[in-house]
């Protein structure tokens, strides 16, 4: 017996459907009765369903979509994804009595059963699949080359990038971290908190305001579930390519102590967790005197820890003086102790929920990227040695090397020197590099990163894919209205910011405006009055290359009624705004997919992570694809 959850009732009551507003609820079946009725209308046909005739049978169905390439087996039963074409609700059907772990199943006809895709059934599905086939690639898993190298493809604002990522992985036969999100900044991890209007606010100084957590509108559970089923229905699992899902910037300490159990539960299906120490480290500071350091170190009461860290550094040929070492340990220890506690929670929930070792495994990244200033060698060495001493090993570490978001690094010689110095330390601990703020770097930048690390790296890219959507919409005549509304929204934010009382907001807005005007060869002497600025900006041809659009664009997706006064609005009005992006034309979807896939190919080629011949063939094929349906059809094995 299914009972509608609060979030599902909210979605149904407000006409918010998965088809054009996915990944909000953790469930992919909101109205199972309707799915059952549609299956029942075709029960005679479905009673003869087999893996061999699925494609032919699918073409005869009208009330329900059967995805033939989704076929997989558990024991003697075959399973397929079906979809309600009107609502986008998904379910599984089985040819034979389904696995005993599934709940709320319904018989359609002799040996045909329907299984609702509820969150707990997704857990049951993972256990059943991986117990039967530990090598299955239906789910994101911590296996293969992802342990040492990857590209992290950020889902900054929609799920529409997934077909392009799957196509690129298939074409290159290369594993990628196919989805990454900063949680809780971008995704809601606690649906009840959203429904009860108690999401915390995330400050964005450059707009002079705070926006609720999860400002892109998706839940991390819904995003996980939707990614799994999307890849499954297109048949990506048949390629045998491992793929990853990164719960990025998982905050350690600070205000997140009170909600860490919810953060952990929300990120259950992530195959890769980034532990971000910055919330806790923001509450501490480096001590300056030797007396202060000695007293603080003694107060830690960590018998033998100092000797263990010294020994760890020594065996790797590293040496740090006594004062510096103890000073860094005192600084890092509160955050590290909370990190250890969080790490155990991630392991514990996987032991509770997942039945196999394959399903329980996850990769880890230590992020010190968001600490003040660039990362020094000693800080990196002590961070890794201290983690090791506390019993946590990382696959990746993300230092701050001075990247500016979405801009190339200007001095390639300096970049090479910095990365080489820090990577020498990381490699001593057998840890790969994670490069955050990775979007928008030059080909030479990426080539240096790949060469210096020997390909043992992950480059996280996110903002680039929002840019590619703007580019696609700006070139699509059918989507002109959405593009202009989006552009004008960012222009309004820029104009407000340029005359704001808040100095930080004003400074950033004028920087973004100046860059945009200069790009068009226009004067930046436009701040005499608001009218003068408005006239100058109105004279510009709307372009995704204008920096004020690029920097403010992500705020539009959940801005109710497209208003600059209703950012991150998780009401029905906010989701009505988000729906506009899921109703774009097939022309725009194709352009967007080609731009996303093309950028991935560029990254793979520049970093040397993939086979050069495969990259060349993929580029040629991408140019030739003539429709969105053709691109999707090539995803399956």
């Amino acid at each position: 017996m299914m009972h509608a959850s609060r979030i599902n009732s909210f979605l149904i009551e407000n006409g918010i459907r998965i088809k054009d507003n996915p990944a909000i609820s953790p469930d992919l079946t909101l109205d199972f009765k309707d799915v059952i009725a549609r299956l029942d209308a075709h029960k005679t046909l479905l009673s003869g369903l087999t893996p061999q005739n699925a494609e032919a049978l699918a073409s005869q169905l009208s009330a329900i979509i059967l995805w033939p390439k989704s076929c997989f087996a558990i024991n003697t039963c075959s399973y397929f994804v079906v979809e309600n074409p009107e609502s986008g609700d998904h379910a599984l059907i089985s040819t034979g009595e389904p696995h005993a772990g599934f709940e709320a199943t319904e018989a359609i006809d002799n040996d045909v059963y329907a299984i609702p895709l509820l969150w707990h059934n997704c857990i049951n599905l993972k256990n059943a699949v991986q117990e039967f086939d530990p090598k299955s690639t239906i789910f994101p898993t911590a296996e293969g080359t992802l342990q040492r190298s990857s590209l992290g493809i950020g889902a900054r604002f929609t799920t529409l990038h997934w077909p392009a990522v799957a196509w690129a992985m298939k074409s290159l036969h290369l594993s990628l971290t196919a989805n990454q999100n900063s949680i809780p900044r971008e995704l809601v991890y606690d649906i009840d908190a959203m429904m009860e209007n108690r999401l915390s606010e995330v400050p964005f100084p450059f707009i002079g305001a705070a926006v609720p957590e999860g400002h892109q509108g998706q839940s991390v559970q819904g995003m996980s579930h939707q990614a799994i089923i999307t890849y499954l229905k297109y048949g990506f699992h048949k390629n045998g390519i491992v793929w990853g899902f990164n719960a990025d910037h998982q905050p350690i300490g600070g205000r997140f102590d009170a909600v860490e159990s919810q953060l952990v539960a929300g990120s259950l299906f992530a195959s890769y967790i980034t532990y971000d120490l910055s919330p806790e480290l923001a509450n501490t500071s480096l001590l300056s005197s030797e007396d202060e350091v000695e007293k603080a170190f003694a107060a830690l009461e960590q018998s033998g820890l100092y000797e263990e860290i010294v020994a760890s550094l020594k065996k790797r040929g590293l040496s740090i003086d006594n004062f510096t070492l103890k000073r860094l340990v005192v600084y890092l220890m509160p955050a590290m102790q909370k990190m250890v506690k969080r790490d155990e929670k991630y392991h514990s929930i996987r032991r509770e929920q997942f039945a196999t070792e394959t399903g329980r495994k996850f990769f880890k990244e230590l992020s010190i990227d968001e600490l003040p200033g660039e990362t020094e060698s000693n800080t990196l060495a002590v961070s890794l040695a201290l983690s090791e001493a506390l019993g946590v090993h990382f696959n990746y570490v993300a230092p701050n090397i001075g990247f500016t978001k979405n801009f190339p690094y200007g001095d390639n010689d300096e970049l090479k020197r910095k990365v080489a110095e820090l990577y020498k330390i990381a490699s001593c601990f057998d840890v790969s590099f994670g490069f955050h703020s990775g979007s928008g770097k030059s080909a030479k930048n990426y080539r240096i990163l790949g060469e210096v690390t020997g390909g043992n790296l992950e480059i996280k890219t996110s903002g680039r894919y929002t840019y590619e959507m703007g580019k696609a919409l700006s070139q699509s005549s059918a989507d002109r209205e959405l593009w202009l509304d989006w552009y004008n929204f960012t222009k309004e934010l820029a104009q407000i910011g340029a005359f704001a009382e808040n100095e930080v907001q004003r400074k950033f807005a004028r920087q973004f405006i100046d860059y945009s005007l200069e790009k068009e060869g226009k004067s930046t002497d436009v701040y005499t009055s608001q009218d003068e600025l408005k006239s100058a900006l109105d004279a510009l041809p709307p372009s995704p290359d204008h920096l004020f659009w690029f920097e403010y664009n992500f705020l539009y997706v959940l801005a109710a009624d497209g208003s600059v006064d209703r950012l991150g609005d998780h009401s029905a009005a906010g989701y009505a705004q988000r729906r506009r992006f899921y109703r774009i034309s097939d022309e725009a979807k194709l352009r967007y997919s080609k731009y996303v896939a093309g950028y991935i190919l560029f990254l793979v080629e520049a970093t040397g992570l993939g086979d050069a011949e495969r990259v060349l063939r993929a580029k040629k094929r991408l140019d030739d694809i003539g429709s969105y349906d053709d691109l999707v059809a090539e995803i399956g094995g």
Side-chain angles (χ1 to χ4, degrees), residues 275 336 339-340 343 364 384 386-394:
Y275 297 75
M336 288 289 189
M339 179 271 292
V340 171
D343 183 63
K364 305 172 192 177
L384 293 172
L386 181 54
S387 299
E388 181 182 74
L390 294 173
V392 180
H393 174 75
F394 287 96

Side-chain angles (χ1 to χ4, degrees), residues 456-493:
N456 295 316
L457 82 168
E458 180 184 57
I459 296 174
K460 294 181 186 285
T461 54
S462 186
R464 179 73 189 202
Y465 307 113
T466 318
Y467 167 79
E468 301 295 7
M469 176 59 81
K471 184 178 170 184
L473 294 179
S474 71
Q475 297 170 348
S476 170
S477 57
D479 303 276
R480 188 69 179 170
E481 182 180 354
L482 174 56
W483 161 243
L484 291 177
D485 287 349
W486 194 6
Y487 180 84
N488 289 332
F489 166 87
T490 65
K491 187 166 64 174
E492 183 179 356
L493 277 176

Side-chain angles (χ1 to χ4, degrees), residues 138-185:
I138 291 175
F139 296 88
T141 49
E143 297 286 348
T145 57
L146 292 178
Q147 181 173 354
R148 302 206 63 88
S149 65
S150 183
L151 299 175
I153 312 301
R156 191 77 177 272
F157 76 123
T158 69
T159 65
L160 292 170
H161 70 302
W162 286 337
V165 183
W167 184 91
M169 286 194 287
K170 192 268 182 77
S171 299
L172 300 176
H173 202 76
L174 180 68
S175 293
L176 298 175
T177 305
N179 199 92
Q180 79 182 36
N181 289 92
S182 294
I183 304 162
R185 263 185 302 198

Side-chain angles (χ1 to χ4, degrees), residues 273-474:
I273 308 287
T274 297
Y275 297 75
D276 182 0
L277 302 185
S278 54
E280 185 64 25
L281 288 173
N283 297 326
T284 63
S285 57
L286 282 164
L287 300 177
S288 55
S289 75
E290 290 194 23
D291 285 345
E292 287 178 316
V293 168
E294 288 294 341
K295 287 179 182 178
F297 190 85
L300 293 176
E301 297 183 347
Q302 293 285 333
S303 177
L305 181 68
Y306 179 77
E307 290 76 13
E308 189 172 349
I309 294 172
V310 170
S312 174
L313 295 172
K314 184 177 180 181
K315 76 178 182 180
R316 293 175 168 91
L318 303 173
S319 177
I320 300 175
D321 67 87
N322 177 69
F323 170 69
T324 300
L325 177 53
K326 288 186 175 180
R327 185 182 187 223
L328 286 169
V329 170
V330 167
Y331 173 59
L332 292 166
M333 183 61 83
M336 288 289 189
Q337 288 175 321
K338 290 188 175 184
M339 179 271 292
V340 171
K341 178 186 173 187
R342 179 74 64 83
D343 183 63
E344 175 49 36
K345 282 182 177 285
Y346 280 117
H347 282 285
S348 178
I349 197 169
R350 282 161 170 73
R351 289 192 296 267
E352 293 169 5
Q353 299 290 339
F354 297 143
T356 69
E357 286 306 309
T358 298
R360 292 169 178 169
K361 285 174 59 179
F362 61 100
F363 296 139
K364 305 172 192 177
E365 177 182 53
L366 177 64
S367 174
I368 51 178
D369 168 70
E370 297 199 0
L371 302 187
E374 294 183 17
T375 303
E376 297 181 355
S377 299
N378 287 340
T379 303
L380 181 60
V382 175
S383 296
L384 293 172
L386 181 54
S387 299
E388 181 182 74
L390 294 173
V392 180
H393 174 75
F394 287 96
N395 305 92
Y396 293 86
V397 64
N400 183 338
I401 60 169
F403 275 170
T404 301
K405 287 182 184 295
N406 306 310
F407 283 94
Y409 197 96
D411 188 332
N412 284 303
D413 291 335
E414 181 187 31
L415 177 63
K416 186 173 184 178
R417 179 192 60 77
K418 281 184 183 179
V419 175
E421 180 181 334
L422 292 173
Y423 182 67
K424 180 179 178 182
I425 293 167
S427 63
C428 289
F429 290 87
D430 195 29
V431 177
S432 293
F433 250 27
F435 292 98
H436 293 197
S437 303
S439 290
K441 305 300 175 280
S442 69
K444 179 65 172 176
N445 290 164
Y446 291 128
R447 192 167 296 113
I448 288 169
L449 303 184
E451 290 173 353
V452 172
T453 63
N456 295 316
L457 82 168
E458 180 184 57
I459 296 174
K460 294 181 186 285
T461 54
S462 186
R464 179 73 189 202
Y465 307 113
T466 318
Y467 167 79
E468 301 295 7
M469 176 59 81
K471 184 178 170 184
L473 294 179
S474 71

